[in-house]
């Protein structure tokens, strides 16, 4: 549904984080940037090391996505 970029402490950026909205009743989630290996497997290029950091990044991205989808709020840049 969307592509996001995140910058940490004005020192490190991660681009091409995808917002995925499943077709089932599941909540939207993020997918970190990845690339296909020579064996055909997909591997993350950059990713959080622990679930707390992943949850923090996911919440920030999904909150911004929800605001951007709101026609009253308009686009968001955080």
């Amino acid at each position: 549904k969307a592509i996001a970029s995140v910058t940490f402490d004005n020192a490190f950026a991660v681009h091409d984080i995808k917002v995925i909205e499943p077709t089932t009743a599941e909540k939207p989630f993020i997918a970190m940037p990845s690339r296909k290996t020579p064996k055909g497997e997909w591997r993350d290029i950059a990713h959080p090391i622990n679930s707390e950091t992943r949850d923090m990044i996911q919440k920030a991205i999904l909150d911004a996505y929800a605001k951007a989808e709101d026609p009253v709020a308009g686009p968001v840049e955080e």
Side-chain angles (χ1 to χ4, degrees), residues 11-30:
F12 185 78
V14 179
H15 302 287
D16 298 329
I17 301 171
K18 296 178 185 98
V19 174
I20 309 292
E21 279 197 21
T23 56
T24 62
E26 296 176 37
K27 295 183 193 177
F29 62 93
I30 62 167

Side-chain angles (χ1 to χ4, degrees), residues 65-75:
Y65 174 70
K67 286 181 187 175
E69 289 289 301
D70 182 349
V72 175

Side-chain angles (χ1 to χ4, degrees), residues 2-14:
I3 303 291
S5 294
V6 178
T7 302
F8 298 95
D9 296 328
N10 291 320
F12 185 78
V14 179

